Every structure is written in structure tokens, then in C-alpha cells.
Amino acid sequence: MTKKVNITTTSGADVSTINQAVSQRIKLYRSQKKLSLDELSRLAGVSKGMLVDIEGCKANPSIALLCKIAAAMNVSVADIVNIASEPTVHLIDRNDIPVLWQGEKGGSAKLLAGTRGPDMLELWQWVMQPGEAFASSGHPADTCELLFVNRGQLTLQVDGRDYVINEGCSAVARTDRPHAYKNNTRDTIEFTMTVYEKSR
């Protein structure tokens, strides 16, 4: 039985396809970097049992877990879900775009594209229904996010302080600290996000 660490949808790349790509890629990078499960567990701050379940396609890892594992192996999340850029141009079909988060009311976060690690650049598309929120304990040092609100009003929380980003407006935020995205309105919100994480 698959452990649902995080919920995904079947729009875009389906759950089994994503889990298989994640499993294969983590095993591949772990092998290339000659990391044991114990070593990766220590570096990523993720339990060995969880890593075994992920590599065995028995767990559906959250965005936070994927970020920790990718950072520990000096690769990007896009590398792990197999949509990272290739030399010159890499076209990604809409059916291959993974949905890596789904809110309780139907919101979603899609990783549209990303570069290969260790310097990571990712493009995300988020939809949040009223009352939905997503929180992160923070990314590696100096991570920066660019946000543009396509529709509605997004509340961005960084270090416990709320910042309201209105429709048609943008923000730049340091997200190497606790942060969250929240829909405190009665309407659906949509926003585009770019994440830049420097190699360590």
C-alpha cells in the first residue's frame, strides 16, 4: 500500500509515473554519488525508512521531502522528477508536468520546468482555493523566490510576517527561512513562482 505523504492529482503526470521517476532518479543519483541510505538519511534529515519507501515506490513524497533529498545530493527537484532542462532545448508536454501538491479543497502546485542541479532554477504554477495554505520550514541558504499573482490575492508569510500580493503584482522573497503561501480570501487564487537555489 502506498503511503500518502502528500496528495497529488491525476492531471498532468499521474501519481504512479511520478513515483517511478522519483524512485529511479533517487537511486541513480545516490549510486552515482556513492551514498548509502544511512548517509543520505543523515545529509537530508529524512528517515532511512522513508527513503526505503520512496525508492521502493511505496511512498508519495511531499515537496518538502523532495527539496531536502535533492539538496542533500546537490541536484534539483526537477532532476528527480525528470523534467530538468536538457542541452539547448527541452520541451515538456502538458501530460508530463507533475502535480506535486494538492490542497484539501482542490488547489494544486505544478512544477512546470526546472534546470539541472546544483544551481537550481524552477518554475511553478500554483492554484489555491479559499482557505488553503502551504507552509515550508525553509530552503537552503540564499534561496530566493519570485512570485507573480495571476488571479486573486495571495498572502505570503515569511518569518511570521504576512505580505499581501494583489492580482497583477509581484514579489521577491528570501525563502531560506520559514514561509507560507495562503489564500485568506473567498476566491480562487493563481500565482506563478520561480525558485532560485544556489549550490552549496
Side-chain angles (χ1 to χ4, degrees):
M1 183 174 185
T2 299
K3 291 183 183 177
K4 295 217 173 175
V5 180
N6 187 44
I7 305 168
T8 56
T9 65
T10 53
S11 59
D14 64 47
V15 176
S16 63
T17 301
I18 294 169
N19 284 348
Q20 286 170 8
V22 166
S23 169
Q24 291 168 3
R25 288 285 169 149
I26 290 176
K27 283 189 277 191
L28 172 67
Y29 289 124
R30 191 167 63 78
S31 172
Q32 288 176 347
K33 295 171 186 296
K34 297 179 172 54
L35 289 172
S36 68
L37 283 167
D38 287 319
E39 289 171 316
L40 180 55
S41 172
R42 180 180 57 79
L43 290 170
V46 175
S47 74
K48 181 180 176 180
M50 177 55 68
L51 291 174
V52 169
D53 285 341
I54 292 171
E55 287 196 1
C57 281
K58 295 178 182 175
N60 178 14
S62 66
I63 296 171
L65 278 177
L66 289 178
C67 287
K68 287 181 179 181
I69 294 168
M73 295 194 293
N74 219 18
V75 298
S76 69
V77 174
D79 281 320
I80 290 178
V81 297
N82 201 22
I83 62 162
S85 59
E86 297 290 345
T88 312
V89 176
H90 179 201
L91 301 179
I92 304 164
D93 188 85
R94 67 170 62 191
N95 295 321
D96 294 328
I97 292 173
V99 179
L100 297 181
W101 173 82
Q102 182 179 343
E104 296 177 354
K105 300 178 182 178
S108 63
K110 295 180 181 180
L111 179 52
L112 302 178
T115 58
R116 292 198 175 281
D119 284 334
M120 183 189 80
L121 185 64
E122 295 175 343
L123 179 63
W124 292 78
Q125 180 183 62
W126 288 75
V127 176
M128 283 186 161
Q129 300 301 332
E132 289 185 330
F134 176 83
S136 170
S137 59
H139 302 298
D142 299 321
T143 299
C144 180
E145 294 182 1
L146 311 178
L147 301 104
F148 174 76
V149 178
N150 307 80
R151 178 164 64 126
Q153 184 185 77
L154 170 67
T155 297
L156 170 67
Q157 186 178 80
V158 179
D159 273 339
R161 181 177 174 187
D162 286 350
Y163 301 85
V164 174
I165 311 169
N166 292 311
E167 183 173 318
C169 297
S170 304
V172 179
R174 284 272 304 273
T175 51
D176 54 0
R177 57 205 66 201
H179 60 283
Y181 321 111
K182 301 186 287 186
N183 183 353
N184 293 333
T185 74
R186 296 182 179 181
D187 301 309
T188 301
I189 62 172
E190 296 179 8
F191 63 98
T192 304
M193 178 176 75
T194 300
V195 183
Y196 174 62
E197 181 183 309
K198 295 179 184 177
S199 62
R200 292 180 292 166

